[in-house]
Amino acid sequence: MLLKVRDVETYYGNAQILKGISIEIGEGELVVVLGANGAGKTTLLRTISGLVKPRTGTIEFAGRRIDLLPPDAIVKLGISQCPEGRKLFPKMTVFKNLALGAYICREDKQKISESMGKVFEFFPILRARQQQLAGTLSGGEQQMLAIGRALMSKPKLLMPDEPSLGLAPLVVSSILNVIRDINQQGTTILLVEQNAAASLSIAHRGYVFETGKVALSDTANRLLIDEKVKQAYMGM
């Protein structure tokens, strides 16, 4: 397994958010985490990224324990998070936002150029918008830029957090299709989403979180027809 999260408990102050979470992702998989607001999905990504430290449990990536490492060391090992809400630098150009994503390899101009070329393959509109300020992009273009920035470090594991948030259905479909393409070209993906039907349609497997615990875990196809998932997340 590329990523192993074992019995992780994470707190914000005295509030426990993750309550003994265990998940695993194999190399090349696209795994989706579903759940309502407050279920612990974003906290899981922040814990894997090292932005918050688990109080108990362990996290292993590519056979190495990472839960004791600082965030920059985790990025260097090949994990890149695309945060909820995009968190772009609105007064900087598209090009500069992308370049910041390659901070860990900032001395290697050739690698940065290769990474940017790859991002432009996935998101051709960003090539045309290189000198445009990020804050003037449409919502969909901003989400493309956020994912592109996360790809600039050439991650082995990409973790997009709610990429469909606030976007029109057609744009959501386009974004998720690119995430599927990124996976098919070799990048393992841990996708956090509330849009159950759309995300499960591109995933291999899924986990359903409820109040900081794994309530369900199965293949994407089985979760799509699970009555509990359909009622809770698809309005059926």
Side-chain angles (χ1 to χ4, degrees):
M1 285 293 163
L2 183 65
L3 179 75
K4 293 181 182 178
V5 177
R6 289 281 178 268
D7 303 318
V8 162
E9 298 186 355
T10 301
Y11 290 72
Y12 291 126
N14 292 322
Q16 185 175 6
I17 309 301
L18 299 183
K19 303 170 183 176
I21 289 288
S22 293
I23 72 166
E24 56 185 34
I25 302 171
E27 191 166 352
E29 279 195 301
L30 196 168
V31 175
V32 64
V33 177
L34 304 170
N37 284 335
K41 307 184 303 296
T42 293
T43 300
L44 170 70
L45 299 193
R46 288 173 57 82
T47 304
I48 294 168
S49 296
L51 298 172
V52 289
K53 295 299 179 186
R55 197 168 290 185
T56 63
T58 61
I59 302 172
E60 290 184 10
F61 180 70
R64 176 176 177 178
R65 186 170 174 183
I66 64 169
D67 51 278
L68 303 175
L69 297 177
D72 61 322
I74 292 172
V75 173
K76 286 176 182 175
L77 287 176
I79 297 178
S80 186
Q81 182 178 345
C82 181
E84 181 182 358
R86 300 155 199 158
K87 303 292 191 296
L88 299 172
F89 296 92
K91 295 185 178 180
M92 294 175 66
T93 63
V94 166
F95 179 88
K96 287 186 177 178
N97 269 273
L98 289 173
L100 281 172
Y103 180 79
I104 61 167
C105 54
R106 58 194 178 278
E107 303 302 326
D108 191 336
K109 304 299 183 187
Q110 183 175 345
K111 188 174 181 180
I112 292 173
S113 178
E114 289 172 359
S115 295
M116 203 162 292
K118 197 68 179 173
V119 169
F120 292 152
E121 282 182 33
F122 287 124
F123 303 111
I125 191 67
L126 296 182
R127 187 190 298 274
R129 300 270 196 269
Q130 284 182 70
Q131 298 309 315
Q132 192 168 325
L133 297 182
T136 66
L137 299 176
S138 70
E141 290 166 353
Q142 287 188 18
Q143 187 60 62
M144 293 174 193
L145 178 56
I147 296 170
R149 182 180 61 185
L151 287 172
M152 286 295 294
S153 61
K154 290 192 171 180
K156 298 172 186 171
L157 174 65
L158 176 67
M159 304 193 301
D161 190 358
E162 302 283 9
S164 74
L165 196 65
L167 301 180
L170 273 177
V171 180
V172 170
S173 178
S174 175
I175 295 285
L176 291 179
N177 283 340
V178 174
I179 288 173
R180 180 193 58 204
D181 292 345
I182 292 167
N183 172 247
Q184 289 177 345
Q185 291 195 27
T187 303
T188 305
I189 292 178
L190 176 59
L191 170 64
V192 160
E193 254 300 337
Q194 284 195 48
N195 189 328
S199 57
L200 286 171
S201 72
I202 66 166
H204 298 112
R205 293 189 298 112
Y207 293 91
V208 179
F209 279 23
E210 288 181 3
T211 60
K213 297 179 180 178
V214 175
L216 281 172
S217 167
D218 212 328
T219 65
N221 288 338
R222 288 190 184 130
L223 289 174
L224 271 169
I225 60 173
D226 185 280
E227 288 302 321
K228 185 176 180 182
V229 173
K230 285 162 73 173
Q231 289 173 13
Y233 304 107
M234 301 181 202
M236 296 180 181

